Every structure is written in C-alpha cells, then in structure tokens.
Amino acid sequence: MNINNPTANQDTHFFGDVCKNFDHAAQFTKHDAGLLDQIKSCNSVYRFRFPIRKGNGFEVIDAWRVEHSHHQSPTKGGIRYSEMVNEDEVMALAALMTYKCAIVNVPFGGAKGGIKINPKNYTVGELENITRRYTVELIKKNFIGPSIDVPAPDYGSGEREMSWIADTYATMNPGQLDALGAVTGKPIALHGIAGRREATGRGVAIAVRECVGVAEDMQKIGLTSGLSGKKVIVQGLGNVGYYSAKFLSEFGALIVGICEFEGAVYNEDGLDVEALFQHRKATGSVLGYAGAKQEFKNTMDGLEQPCDILVPAALENQITVENIRNIKAKIIAEGANGPTSPEAEAIFYQNGGMIIPDMYANAGGVTVSYFEWLKNLSHVAFGRINRRFEENSNLNLVNMVEGITGVALTPIQRSTIIKGASELELVNSGLEDTMIRSYHEIREIYKNNPKVETLRNAAMVGAINKIAVSYMNLGVWP
C-alpha cells in the first residue's frame, strides 16, 4: 500500500523497478554514493487535493506533480489523467523523464504529473474545470513555468488539455512574454509545433529501424538486418501505438497484430493500419475488422502471436514473468513507459532476445517538446526567417548548373531541389538526428563494456554519467 495514499489499491512498485535498474547500472560508473543518491532521488513530490462541482454536489480530486531532478532547468514531463494514477507511478515516470532527457541530450530535468480520474466519467466542462484548477494549484506552489516546470500531454490528456493549461497560466501571469512556453503539446493555433502529435510514434519507429539496421547485433538474435519484411505486433492503437505502426509500415515492416484493451487482431500477411484505425473509430473496437484472420478477446493473447518485433505502446507492467516465455518476438521496442518488468527482461535476454528500452525508444515526444519550447521562447516558427533565402540560393545554384551543363531540369526536379524546409521537415529532421545519434551512443556503451548486459543498462549508464557531470559542475549551495 502507498502510505501517502492509503486509498490506492494497485501495486506500487514501479518506482522501485526504476531504482533497481538505476542501482544495477550505477555499479558500472565511478561516482560516489552520495552523488548517486542525489541523482536517483525525487527532489520534490507535491500531492494535493481539490474540489470540483459535480452535479448538485462536490467531488474531491487527487492529484500530483513530481519534480525528480533539477540538474537542468526547467523540469519537463507529461500529465496523466487516469483513475489508476498513484504517487509511486508519478515518481517513477518523473525519474524516467530525467534519464530519458539525458539519453537524448535534451536539457531538461525530469518531472511528471497525475490526476486521479477517468476522463470518460466527466463532461468537457468538468474536465476543463479540473485541468484549470490543477494548473492554479501548480501556480500557487511555483510548480509550473517556462523556466521552472513545463508539463505536456500523457495518457488521457492531449492538445485540448494543454490549451487550457496554457490559457490558465497566461491569465494568472499577465504580461509574461514567454507564458506559452509553460506547457508543450499545444495545438498549432496556440503556438504548438508541427510534428508533435506523431513525434513519439515516429521516434519509436526510428529507434527500431536503427536497432535492426546493425547486422552484427541482428545476427546474434537470429534476424536479418533491415526492417523490410519484419513482422511487428503493436499493443495500443492510441497516439503512440498508431503512429509507431504507421511509420514502421512506411519504413518497410509488416504490421501483423494490433492489441487493444477490448481485444486483439492478427494477420500474418499484414494488417492495414489506417483501415483498422478507422474501423475502431467507427465501432469502438478492433474486433470485427474484416482484414483480420484471427481475433482474441483476451488482448494479452495477441502479444503472444508469432512476430519479429513487439511494440508495447499502452501502459506499464504488460510483460511480466507470467507471459514473457510465451512472447515469440526477438525484439521488444518499448513505446510505453515501463511495460516490461525487470524479471521478465532478464528472462527475455537469457532466451536470446533484445529490448529497446523505453527511456530511449519513446523519447521522440520530449525531443519535439523541446523544439516547441524553443519555438515559444524565440517567438518565431522554425523555417520562417530563412526558408525563402534558402529557396533563392538553391534557385541561383540550379540556374548556374543548367547554364554550365546546358541541361535543363524538369519542373518537378527544379521544385524538389529548390524547395526550402518547412517547420515539419525541420522538426522531423531534428528528431531523426537525435534518435540516430542517441541509439549509437547507447550501443557503444553496450558494446564496449561486457559487464553491461542490456541496452537499458547501457542507456542508464550514459544517463547517470551525463547527470553526474551536471551536478558536479553546479556544485552544492550553500
């Protein structure tokens, strides 16, 4: 039981699992115990309750905001709307955000928020009241601000909720020039950034592509290199799962299974992700989709079907000692936070598998949130200042080449070469570069230290070392 929340009835060991991974990786570093304890600990844990009007009465809402690390400012992390939220989970997710930001070289400390509700049980007006009151509570305690702590969407929240937060913060801080930088994941109309919605899923797909592109590593687990023809099962058809499946398919993979809470569908010859998504949107279920050859009312059965790559992109603790031996995938790419228990991971590696850890695999969201934050601070969209200059420079170059060679390009060729980069193209380019560089940083640690048994350990070792350098450079005051 969570002693800080006696009403919580779910297991509270997620933060403990994160700390186990930290402790295991820390033994491969050379930092003293006090510094390691500082890195591992949650710096600030704020639990609060507030009332809302519900019908003719009141309802009291439980909520949290955790700032795990202040080695970089601001702290950064999403807000989860779920009746399963508890303090242990929010602390764990905040810690993962710290390590995630370090792994992909994004200069934020980790944070996370949670509101203990099922959004389906509330009207839009009630959800707005809850979100705005939550924001005011954070403002009162100085737990939000563009240079303090910057929330973002998470499970159960999205652009709508981030708009309410942005408006509430700006209203409570009149005249603050950078007020919209207090939250990311906003819609484009409210100074969000192109590519943010699909960023986490795109990042997962790039992570998988980089992993399977290393022939040496694939040979060890019995796979050929490259994504072409690889069979993939995705758990979750929400934002992360849908875009992971979409981009993996575009990169050449075959999506053979989709699992959702109401059940799972499977077709060894491949599923049309977009058609399945529209079917679920129309019917409320993946079941009954005409393109499926097999259906499973128990969604967990869907995870155990034949495939090369499994992408759990739903909630934590989905792959455990109870089902890991039934998983037929050779690679697990963690689109969700904490979907694989430490015990299950050990068994999976012993059986010749490989896990692309959540701390890296789903870091696309915070990477593009960083870009959005930079956009809000600079008050100009990426590409707006230099795009036309680039196009004119490219045009001059094309004209010169045509004049020298005497060969005229077709209009399509000319437009392709001349075109300057849009904000979306720049964002996707920055995301891709970040995911590629970070994967090979992790792999170098994994490859060069035989005692580091997993990519997760390697990612954590790298994160600890980067955070330690920040803390040592900052010193201790007073």
Side-chain angles (χ1 to χ4, degrees):
M1 180 178 286
N2 184 341
I3 60 172
N4 294 303
N5 184 9
T7 62
N9 57 10
Q10 60 269 49
D11 291 335
T12 54
H13 55 70
F14 189 9
F15 184 62
D17 287 347
V18 174
C19 289
K20 280 182 191 175
N21 289 328
F22 179 96
D23 291 339
H24 186 71
Q27 66 184 313
F28 305 119
T29 69
K30 297 179 180 179
H31 309 296
D32 69 67
L35 178 56
L36 291 172
D37 188 41
Q38 171 59 45
I39 296 171
K40 181 170 67 171
S41 301
C42 288
N43 286 356
S44 304
V45 180
Y46 179 31
R47 185 206 169 192
F48 51 103
R49 310 184 85 204
F50 57 84
I52 63 158
R53 292 188 182 277
K54 182 79 169 167
N56 295 324
F58 296 90
E59 180 179 333
V60 178
I61 306 295
D62 288 290
W64 292 264
R65 186 70 184 174
V66 174
E67 295 174 355
H68 174 260
S69 177
H70 296 103
H71 74 286
Q72 298 273 10
S73 291
T75 53
K76 187 84 182 72
I79 303 172
R80 179 166 290 195
Y81 289 49
S82 168
E83 58 191 349
M84 300 300 289
V85 163
N86 61 65
E87 190 167 299
D88 178 85
E89 178 186 59
V90 181
M91 290 171 65
L93 294 170
L96 285 172
M97 278 299 300
T98 292
Y99 309 134
K100 185 182 302 183
C101 290
I103 287 163
V104 293
N105 300 299
V106 167
F108 292 140
K112 208 73 177 184
I115 303 177
K116 194 178 180 67
I117 60 169
N118 182 347
K120 295 178 181 178
N121 296 338
Y122 299 84
T123 67
V124 172
E126 288 167 345
L127 284 173
E128 182 174 357
N129 290 340
I130 291 168
T131 303
R132 289 184 183 274
R133 180 60 185 266
Y134 177 85
T135 307
V136 169
E137 294 297 327
L138 296 183
I139 293 169
K140 283 159 59 177
K141 297 295 184 181
N142 209 28
F143 262 71
I144 185 173
S147 63
I148 299 167
D149 188 353
V150 181
D154 196 81
Y155 183 83
S157 63
E159 291 180 355
R160 180 184 64 183
E161 288 75 19
M162 299 309 107
S163 297
W164 294 333
I165 293 172
D167 180 65
T168 306
Y169 182 83
T171 301
M172 298 291 288
N173 292 274
Q176 186 176 118
L177 185 63
D178 297 329
L180 290 177
V183 60
T184 62
K186 304 180 295 295
I188 297 292
L190 205 62
H191 303 280
I193 195 167
R196 174 60 183 88
R197 185 180 301 169
E198 62 268 31
T200 306
R202 183 184 288 275
V204 171
I206 295 169
V208 173
R209 187 190 68 191
E210 285 307 299
C211 176
V212 301
V214 182
E216 176 188 352
D217 296 347
M218 293 302 99
Q219 187 176 6
K220 289 179 182 176
I221 62 174
L223 292 178
T224 57
S225 63
L227 257 180
S228 181
K230 293 288 188 301
K231 295 184 176 181
V232 180
I233 293 175
V234 177
Q235 182 194 35
L237 203 57
N239 181 279
V240 179
Y242 168 72
Y243 283 112
S244 295
K246 171 183 166 63
F247 292 121
L248 282 168
S249 180
E250 289 181 8
F251 291 165
L254 194 66
I255 309 302
V256 295
I258 295 289
C259 310
E260 257 295 347
F261 72 89
E262 69 273 3
V265 292
Y266 182 84
N267 185 340
E268 62 183 4
D269 298 321
L271 297 165
D272 184 326
V273 176
E274 185 59 34
L276 178 56
F277 180 79
Q278 294 303 327
H279 168 80
R280 185 171 191 258
K281 192 174 178 181
T283 68
S285 173
V286 296
L287 300 176
Y289 172 59
K293 288 186 177 179
Q294 290 179 270
E295 287 189 352
F296 306 93
K297 289 189 177 179
N298 181 354
T299 185
M300 301 307 285
D301 291 340
L303 302 180
E304 300 173 3
Q305 302 311 303
C307 67
D308 301 307
I309 301 163
L310 173 62
V311 182
L315 293 171
E316 64 269 8
N317 207 37
Q318 299 297 295
I319 302 171
T320 65
V321 291
E322 280 75 30
N323 63 358
I324 188 63
R325 291 180 177 85
N326 298 327
I327 300 295
K328 298 174 179 64
K330 289 290 187 180
I331 297 171
I332 296 174
E334 297 182 326
N337 288 310
T340 313
S341 73
E343 296 80 10
E345 179 169 21
I347 295 169
F348 193 67
Y349 268 91
Q350 287 166 10
N351 292 340
M354 187 177 191
I355 294 179
I356 307 174
D358 51 2
M359 293 180 293
Y360 159 70
N362 64 27
V366 74
T367 300
V368 176
S369 279
Y370 171 51
F371 299 158
E372 181 180 338
W373 181 73
L374 290 175
K375 175 183 177 179
N376 295 154
L377 297 188
S378 64
H379 302 279
V380 63
F382 290 110
R384 179 170 184 174
I385 292 175
N386 59 334
R387 182 174 181 179
R388 188 64 61 187
F389 176 81
E390 287 179 3
E391 290 182 349
N392 289 333
S393 297
N394 293 341
L395 176 60
N396 291 335
L397 182 61
V398 167
N399 288 338
M400 183 179 68
V401 171
E402 286 182 332
I404 292 172
T405 63
V407 177
L409 298 175
T410 67
I412 293 177
Q413 289 171 328
R414 284 176 67 88
S415 64
T416 301
I417 295 171
I418 292 168
K419 180 179 174 294
S422 66
E423 179 174 86
L424 178 60
E425 289 167 328
L426 290 169
V427 165
N428 288 343
S429 174
L431 171 59
E432 184 171 19
D433 183 67
T434 297
M435 298 303 292
I436 290 172
R437 286 175 179 268
S438 300
Y439 181 76
H440 293 288
E441 277 184 19
I442 295 167
R443 185 178 176 273
E444 280 301 303
I445 297 171
Y446 180 54
K447 183 174 128 182
N448 294 330
N449 190 336
K451 293 183 180 180
V452 176
E453 308 100 326
T454 68
L455 286 174
R456 190 186 313 279
N457 289 339
M460 186 69 86
V461 167
I464 291 170
N465 286 333
K466 292 174 186 176
I467 298 165
V469 168
S470 292
Y471 271 125
M472 288 188 290
N473 288 336
L474 287 169
V476 178
W477 187 89

